[in-house]
Amino acid sequence: MKSLSKTQLTAGSFVLLLIFAAVWQWGPSAFGVPEFVLPKLSSTLVEGVRMFQVENLWLHIGVTALEVIAGFVIGSALGVLIGVILGLSPSTEAMLSPYILALQIAPKVAFAPLFVMWMGYTIYPKILVAVLIVFFPVMINVLGAVRSVDPDMVNLVRALCGRRWQIFRFVEFPSAMQALFAGLRIASTLAVIGVTVGELVGGDRGLGYLLVYGEGQGNTAMVFVAIAGLTVIGIAAYAAVVWLERRALHYVPRAAMNIA
């Protein structure tokens, strides 16, 4: 089957977007759905303009974006660090893996109120929830990649009198890059979820706070605007990781990287 060109794929995506917008605009009226249940697209856009003018929407977007970036960076850095340590030391993994697994199994929503009690209505509880959610997928991907390094390559560097640091730098870490970016792609979207959970539980700023505020006011359009803002932040974070992956792994064929 002949594959479509990039232009055709872009055109197809645009057509689907237009169909979605048309259904959102005229679908509720056609099926008799009231505005307070599902507002029309035009009503949502009007509410978005009002929120920019009255509710200081840019501030809430900026706060949420900052929390997502901080949670993603810190959680990813910890995931890489712990993943490398566990990958290079099976004995360390045997000791720490039960505790790491228990931390992952524990519901992150349960930690959010605790963090708010400890640190108040600041950005730190939201960042911590995002860190907890981001950490595990990055750590697992890096751990698996370090463990699956070709032993022949390691032996080759050792035969050339390479030191342990050189084996890690020239063999193990480059081999783990693709798996690392696969974990980072997942983490970029999970960071938005973590921050949103933190803001829903306890926050006075951010798009998660606007979700709760809009629900309390019975303003469904405001809820949709907040959801759209969170979606845009998630897409931007994912796109940034994909762009960085293409720059860092430019030598890997596009098909092997599985990048759309």
Side-chain angles (χ1 to χ4, degrees):
M1 183 176 179
K2 185 179 179 180
S3 60
L4 299 177
S5 65
K6 187 174 181 180
T7 302
Q8 290 173 320
L9 292 173
T10 302
S13 297
F14 184 70
V15 170
L16 289 176
L17 178 62
L18 290 179
I19 294 174
F20 174 76
V23 171
W24 189 357
Q25 174 63 28
W26 291 289
S29 300
F31 290 97
V33 180
E35 281 276 321
F36 68 86
V37 174
L38 180 61
K40 296 184 295 185
L41 175 60
S42 57
S43 302
T44 304
L45 293 176
V46 170
E47 176 63 19
V49 173
R50 187 198 70 82
M51 290 172 66
F52 276 113
Q53 297 173 343
V54 179
E55 303 291 347
N56 204 0
L57 183 58
W58 278 121
L59 172 64
H60 295 284
I61 293 175
V63 169
T64 299
L66 175 63
E67 293 167 349
V68 168
I69 293 172
F72 173 75
V73 171
I74 297 173
S76 299
L78 289 174
V80 171
L81 177 62
I82 301 301
V84 169
I85 292 174
L86 299 184
L88 297 178
S89 176
S91 58
T92 304
E93 181 190 5
M95 288 188 296
L96 296 182
S97 58
Y99 305 102
I100 295 175
L101 181 61
L103 182 63
Q104 172 61 18
I105 294 174
K108 306 303 179 294
V109 178
F111 286 100
L114 186 62
F115 293 153
V116 171
M117 293 172 63
W118 286 346
M119 289 169 277
Y121 293 98
T122 63
I123 65 173
Y124 303 112
K126 295 81 173 178
I127 293 175
L128 277 178
V129 175
V131 167
L132 288 178
I133 294 180
V134 165
F135 166 78
F136 196 75
V138 176
M139 188 270 293
I140 287 296
N141 277 39
V142 173
L143 170 61
V146 172
R147 285 287 177 83
S148 61
V149 171
D150 186 356
D152 292 335
M153 293 296 296
V154 175
N155 292 332
L156 176 61
V157 177
R158 285 174 178 167
L160 296 174
C161 301
R163 298 182 178 180
R164 188 67 190 83
W165 164 250
Q166 292 173 316
I167 294 174
F168 174 76
R169 177 183 176 185
F170 295 112
V171 179
E172 292 169 336
F173 188 73
S175 299
M177 288 293 285
Q178 281 188 264
L180 167 61
F181 276 105
L184 291 179
R185 285 206 232 175
I186 299 173
S188 64
T189 57
L190 293 179
V192 179
I193 297 174
V195 167
T196 304
V197 168
E199 291 178 344
L200 287 173
V201 172
D204 55 0
R205 290 180 297 176
L207 294 174
Y209 162 75
L210 290 182
L211 282 172
V212 177
Y213 182 75
E215 184 270 337
Q217 298 293 318
N219 189 342
T220 312
M222 176 182 284
V223 174
F224 272 95
V225 171
I227 292 173
L230 290 168
T231 302
V232 170
I233 291 175
I235 292 173
Y238 185 87
V241 172
V242 170
W243 176 85
L244 183 61
E245 181 179 9
R246 288 177 176 174
R247 298 280 293 182
L249 302 180
H250 57 86
Y251 52 87
V252 179
R254 180 82 47 96
M257 294 169 61
N258 193 28
I259 298 178

